[in-house]
Amino acid sequence: MRSSGINQVRPRNKYELMIDLRRFGEPRLRGKYLFLSRIKSGRLRDLVDYLHWRLGGYYSTSIGVDERPLDGYFHVYHVFVLEEYGVYVLVDLIADPGHPVVESITPVVPAANWAEREIMDFIGVKFRGHPEPHRLILPDDWPENVYPLRKDYPYDDKLPTSDKIAKLVRESSPATWEPEAPGDHTVIPVGPYHPALHEPEYFELFVEGEKIVDARYKGFMVHRGIEKIAESRLSYNQVSFIAERICGICGFTHSTAYCQAVEEAAGIDVPERAEYIRSILLEIERIHSHFLWMGVAFHLLGYDTGFMIMWRLRESIMDLAEELTGSRKMYGANIVGGIRDKWDIRDDKAALIKRMLDEIREEYLKYIPKIISLEEIKKRTRGVGVLSRSDARKYSVLGPHARASGIKTDVRKYRPYAAYKYVNVEIPVLDDGDIYARMIVRHEEILASIDLIHRLLDNIPKTPLHADTSYIPERRHGIGCTEAPRGEDLHFVITGRDNKLYRWRPRAPTYNNLLSVPAMLRGEYLADAPIIIASIDPCFSCTDHVVVVDLRSGRRRPLRTRGVVGGR
Amino acid sequence: MNRIKVLLENLRRGVVTEQYPFKPIRVPERLRGKPVIDPDKCAGCGACVNACPPNALTMRDDKHSSMRFIVLFIGRCIYCGKCEEACPFGAIRLTREFELAAENREDLYQVVGLRLYHCPLCGEPFTTVRLIKRVVEALPEEQRAAATLCPRCRESVTAHYRSYARR
Ligand code: SF4
Ligand code: SF4
């Protein structure tokens, strides 16, 4: 029945998609970006439902921007990735500065829960109909109505002293919340230090005997406010260094995503040689990260021999990185427009790298296939911490975590960047959704990466290393995506004047992946909690890329509000 | 069975730990370690200060002693090498030194002091003596005089020349 018109027909390409989206608002196509503004009233949730659940795209993240100095409004951009159409749909909502409220999309896409709350904390735009409209990142004693990412908030403002806080709190009496324990279960706190990886995070597990009935996560204890520093103080080329320091494990992928975002925004073409070198370093980083994860996983499974072996191998891959870049982990190679001169990979280096890689591969294959077929490893990981495909979609999980739940996704393959445009990338996908599947996916990725580096090294073209970046136009939007070891890494930028960014927001994959942990914990044994949490390879410093403490989450339930919201 | 194989493999491998710090460790030739300023080469131009992302390098002019100080604080350094890239005189270099633990905070500083150069017309200090010497030496004869003036005085003087030339 085609009588009901164009709405029933699936658009075939981005142009048809653009026309199709006219039902919801005003679309504007600029290269890979499909901006959708002036959303018709009452149509936002239908639109989101359409993009996320029907068109085969997925919700990636949301960004709040204080654009009052530019056009007088606050903007909220919801980013949807539609790989099939080769576009990012940016749903652009504007909020009036006097009464900044927009409609929440979390009821339709639970994955948006945190991103919307982050915007409430930092920009002060409220989301109507959000199921948990509480603070996510700012500490409980942060004064109301102070929004650090607004443009009129100075970056060098000293954190309020305790006296000042006490006064501000007295004046504004922010509400404090306490989570309600579900029934009469025992609460087991895990954290804030090292339940899984040695970073601050805090899980509250509600148990009945040995079974976990519910779980909550609190995080953002290592938020460092780097977005503000970057927007206020750093030049384009300085930001790539702070971007690299978002994370101690997947740093280079962050700086690459950042550089790509600016390059996209400014229309800079990166020379091929630089693209190859970026890809080579990215793969080295992936191998390093997966080695590290495997070691941690074996350790948590009580198999410390495996842990020692993996971390010994990890030393070798860091030696390799050090030979290539002068540092074990902070490669420091990226600048906007390419790669720095000293980081060139000449033939003698290439030969050395290949030799070292071969050794690592041989050593790895001596052990790992034996270890992952051990009965005790299988018993503890098969059928444990299962995330179904539909749950994986619900939380927009990414990377190996998604691929282990049957979702075919990989930025390298479906939105190729750097040198992945020129080579074929194999991506393992498994349907089981358990910890074992996550382990196998990473195992295969390690081997694929080693192979990929060899192919890249053989084909490095002879071009310059960086492009001219003297002109970067103002007020351009750019998105840079990379496939970090843990999944899609997304950096959003708006260019500004004086060689500075107007807005920069990095979103690490753990931000999405963590939301799925409570779902995986429910119904499992307490003893398995550490390995379940660790199985997503959580990286808390990435996720907490921006300032401080205390969130209640885990599950959509009304939280009891204690205290008064006074004054206004 | 596999368990035994893994153990045998490990036994065959023997000791893998390094003797460091009792024996020196191999350091790759490209290692980016502690930056060091060569006080004989540095002209106090401040290019490295502008380039340094985490403000590990700072610059301070002290009018009383008529000195400019380039201050490097290793505690903030991220070993990115931007300073080395920026320095026009090859004065700041990343060494391969990586054992940087210190007992005193002061040990983490390097300070280079350079004499300030004052504008012969208005007397304001605007650069260092060493830098002005290098600039003047690099310039053709006829441009030298103007280069010794501070930017403001230079502007008014050249404006005067220009209006003179036009007549
Ligand atoms: S290496 Fe980088 S951080 Fe260290 S002083 Fe030089 S520019 Fe600054
Ligand atoms: S080290 Fe080099 S760049 Fe820095 S002030 Fe001295 S001369 Fe200038």
Side-chain angles (χ1 to χ4, degrees):
Chain A
M1 266 259 296
R2 301 202 41 175
S3 60
S4 49
I6 190 167
N7 296 0
Q8 302 303 310
V9 184
R10 224 179 124 87
R12 278 165 307 184
N13 55 42
K14 61 179 178 182
Y15 305 102
E16 288 190 9
L17 177 68
M18 184 175 84
I19 293 167
D20 187 26
L21 291 181
R22 283 206 191 131
R23 305 185 267 152
F24 300 103
E26 282 180 20
R28 179 164 53 90
L29 190 62
R30 198 175 66 82
K32 289 193 236 172
Y33 308 118
L34 211 167
F35 289 89
L36 197 60
S37 49
R38 294 178 194 270
I39 308 298
K40 293 185 183 150
S41 86
R43 295 288 275 154
L44 178 66
R45 289 190 186 166
D46 295 340
L47 164 69
V48 168
D49 181 65
Y50 183 59
L51 291 171
H52 184 85
W53 294 108
R54 283 167 225 284
L55 270 186
Y58 68 87
Y59 165 83
S60 182
T61 193
S62 311
I63 302 112
V65 190
D66 175 7
E67 290 187 47
R68 287 175 302 165
L70 303 178
D71 64 5
Y73 293 100
F74 292 112
H75 285 247
V76 172
Y77 299 92
H78 293 301
V79 181
F80 291 84
V81 179
L82 278 79
E83 281 176 340
E84 204 182 312
Y85 298 94
V87 289
Y88 295 95
V89 177
L90 285 101
V91 178
D92 176 4
L93 308 176
I94 52 173
D96 187 74
H99 180 63
V101 180
V102 297
E103 201 178 348
S104 166
I105 62 166
T106 306
V108 191
V109 188
N113 187 336
W114 285 8
E116 291 193 332
R117 287 161 68 186
E118 183 179 328
I119 296 170
M120 292 195 240
D121 279 9
F122 286 157
I123 304 281
V125 174
K126 303 267 180 298
F127 288 83
R128 199 180 323 123
H130 193 292
E132 288 178 87
H134 310 309
R135 279 195 177 165
L136 176 73
I137 299 176
L138 292 176
D140 280 351
D141 57 1
W142 185 271
E144 294 268 288
N145 295 328
V146 176
Y147 302 107
L149 282 184
R150 286 193 178 179
K151 289 289 164 189
D152 48 14
Y153 184 81
Y155 88 95
D156 51 357
D157 197 39
K158 291 272 177 302
L159 277 180
T161 60
S162 49
D163 290 359
K164 207 168 145 201
I165 291 184
K167 184 165 167 289
L168 284 164
V169 169
R170 237 183 289 118
E171 281 164 6
S172 67
S173 3
T176 47
W177 300 283
E178 210 167 69
E180 218 172 80
D184 288 328
H185 306 295
T186 313
V187 182
I188 308 263
V190 182
Y193 290 103
H194 93 77
L197 297 177
H198 300 196
E199 283 185 81
E201 78 272 33
Y202 179 73
F203 285 87
E204 263 176 4
L205 308 179
F206 301 94
V207 295
E208 231 176 50
E210 284 295 303
K211 280 271 183 195
I212 301 170
V213 291
D214 204 355
R216 279 199 199 103
Y217 168 71
K218 303 179 183 188
F220 295 92
M221 292 156 196
V222 283
H223 186 135
R224 289 155 289 173
I226 59 171
E227 290 162 293
K228 191 76 184 175
I229 298 175
E231 289 166 22
S232 317
R233 221 204 73 199
L234 300 179
S235 68
Y236 284 119
N237 270 336
Q238 289 180 332
V239 176
S240 72
F241 294 95
I242 205 168
E244 187 157 17
R245 279 156 185 82
I246 287 174
C247 176
I249 299 172
C250 47
F252 191 72
T253 193
H254 274 291
S255 77
T256 307
Y258 160 73
C259 290
Q260 284 175 2
V262 179
E263 287 151 8
E264 281 283 334
I268 296 166
D269 277 330
V270 179
E272 268 182 47
R273 190 176 181 88
E275 293 187 317
Y276 271 80
I277 295 176
R278 276 184 185 171
S279 282
I280 290 166
L281 293 176
L282 286 169
E283 290 311 311
I284 290 176
E285 187 169 77
R286 182 179 330 275
I287 298 171
H288 164 263
S289 176
H290 284 357
F291 277 7
L292 185 141
W293 177 82
M294 283 236 179
V296 172
F298 294 149
H299 173 65
L300 291 170
L301 291 170
Y303 186 65
D304 270 352
T305 311
F307 165 64
M308 289 294 180
I309 292 167
M310 287 321 296
W311 281 47
R312 166 157 66 74
L313 281 169
R314 173 175 169 262
E315 284 298 317
S316 323
I317 198 92
M318 288 200 295
D319 284 347
L320 193 158
E322 202 177 35
E323 281 294 339
L324 215 48
T325 69
S327 174
R328 282 153 67 90
K329 201 57 221 46
M330 292 294 141
Y331 306 155
N334 269 327
I335 44 171
V336 173
I339 288 283
R340 296 165 72 192
D341 287 328
K342 277 208 178 164
W343 278 254
D344 195 5
I345 301 179
R346 280 184 295 273
D347 292 347
D348 53 332
K349 276 278 180 241
L352 176 70
I353 300 308
K354 290 185 129 195
R355 212 168 51 239
M356 290 174 89
L357 267 182
D358 283 340
E359 277 165 25
I360 291 170
R361 186 188 149 92
E362 193 189 326
E363 198 68 20
Y364 178 80
L365 285 178
K366 255 185 217 160
Y367 289 106
I368 297 308
K370 297 189 186 99
I371 294 178
I372 53 184
S373 59
L374 288 176
E375 238 5 84
E376 56 264 47
I377 300 279
K378 284 189 185 163
K379 279 210 175 109
R380 292 236 16 222
T381 53
R382 279 208 169 145
V384 179
V386 176
L387 187 74
S388 67
R389 192 170 190 281
S390 66
D391 272 351
R393 285 280 295 145
K394 187 156 124 196
Y395 297 110
S396 280
V397 302
L398 304 160
H401 190 32
R403 291 193 279 276
S405 290
I407 296 181
K408 262 195 155 157
T409 172
D410 191 311
V411 187
R412 294 176 294 168
K413 180 130 188 139
Y414 299 108
R415 276 170 282 157
Y417 56 97
Y420 304 115
K421 288 179 275 199
Y422 317 116
V423 289
N424 180 36
V425 185
E426 276 150 50
I427 54 163
V429 178
L430 294 177
D431 290 325
D432 309 346
D434 56 7
I435 299 174
Y436 193 69
R438 282 166 219 146
M439 190 181 286
I440 298 300
V441 164
R442 292 197 178 94
H443 165 62
E444 289 184 8
E445 282 182 19
I446 289 171
L447 296 175
S449 290
I450 294 179
D451 175 50
L452 193 56
I453 297 175
H454 275 292
R455 276 185 284 148
L456 290 166
L457 282 170
D458 287 336
N459 291 308
I460 302 185
K462 291 213 168 17
T463 69
L465 279 178
H466 37 75
D468 174 31
T469 55
S470 48
Y471 174 65
I472 295 180
E474 240 183 278
R475 281 186 78 177
R476 294 285 176 80
H477 296 65
I479 290 177
C481 273
T482 56
E483 182 72 19
R486 300 164 172 77
E488 176 207 68
D489 219 347
L490 186 144
H491 283 230
F492 172 93
V493 300
I494 300 179
T495 56
R497 48 177 71 173
D498 301 331
N499 201 16
K500 277 202 200 84
L501 291 158
Y502 186 80
R503 181 78 169 98
W504 170 47
R505 181 171 185 267
R507 198 273 288 123
T510 304
Y511 201 90
N512 291 22
N513 289 347
L514 261 181
L515 271 169
S516 69
V517 170
M520 297 195 294
L521 284 171
R522 256 168 246 141
E524 296 289 354
Y525 285 105
L526 183 57
D528 288 330
I531 182 65
I532 294 173
I533 295 170
S535 72
I536 67 160
D537 198 1
C539 180
F540 297 96
S541 57
C542 284
T543 305
D544 301 3
H545 59 92
V546 241
V547 181
V548 202
V549 197
D550 214 334
L551 100 112
R552 341 254 144 174
S553 161
R555 175 163 160 191
R556 268 135 292 287
R557 64 169 64 248
L559 297 174
R560 184 154 41 87
T561 306
R562 217 184 41 186
V564 244
V565 185
R568 278 144 293 113
Chain B
M1 199 56 221
N2 273 336
R3 203 167 315 144
I4 312 285
K5 281 190 197 152
V6 170
L7 287 180
L8 286 178
E9 197 62 61
N10 261 352
L11 277 178
R12 201 186 51 76
R13 197 112 212 329
V15 178
V16 292
T17 42
E18 307 257 8
Q19 292 291 304
Y20 182 80
F22 305 108
K23 283 195 186 137
I25 199 163
R26 205 190 70 84
V27 178
E29 146 223 2
R30 277 197 192 183
L31 184 93
R32 284 176 280 138
K34 174 186 176 184
V36 172
I37 309 176
D38 180 345
D40 296 328
K41 284 191 188 161
C42 176
C45 68
C48 56
V49 176
N50 279 337
C52 179
N55 287 3
L57 281 157
T58 47
M59 181 164 89
R60 191 167 56 83
D61 284 356
D62 182 40
K63 286 198 180 164
H64 289 295
S65 57
S66 188
M67 292 288 274
R68 168 173 288 182
F69 298 103
I70 302 289
V71 183
L72 166 62
F73 176 45
I74 299 294
R76 289 189 73 99
C77 179
I78 58 171
Y79 313 98
C80 63
K82 274 275 176 192
C83 48
E84 189 179 80
E85 241 171 44
C87 179
F89 304 107
I92 188 163
R93 281 269 142 95
L94 264 57
T95 61
R96 294 201 294 163
E97 198 181 328
F98 64 96
E99 294 158 313
L100 302 178
E103 282 184 7
N104 301 307
R105 196 182 164 90
E106 287 70 43
D107 298 343
L108 296 174
Y109 284 92
Q110 187 190 358
V111 181
V112 174
L114 292 137
R115 224 152 25 87
L116 277 174
Y117 174 80
H118 298 257
C119 174
L121 281 188
C122 65
E124 274 300 304
F126 70 97
T127 183
T128 64
V129 174
R130 190 178 283 167
L131 187 59
I132 207 83
K133 272 196 191 142
R134 289 195 188 156
V135 169
V136 167
E137 276 163 20
L139 285 174
E141 193 70 50
E142 64 278 11
Q143 288 174 21
R144 287 186 179 172
T148 59
L149 304 179
C150 76
R152 204 151 5 103
C153 293
R154 195 184 316 151
E155 205 173 287
S156 57
V157 170
T158 46
H160 175 75
Y161 283 154
R162 264 196 235 117
S163 63
Y164 197 70
R166 228 179 278 135
R167 262 181 258 156

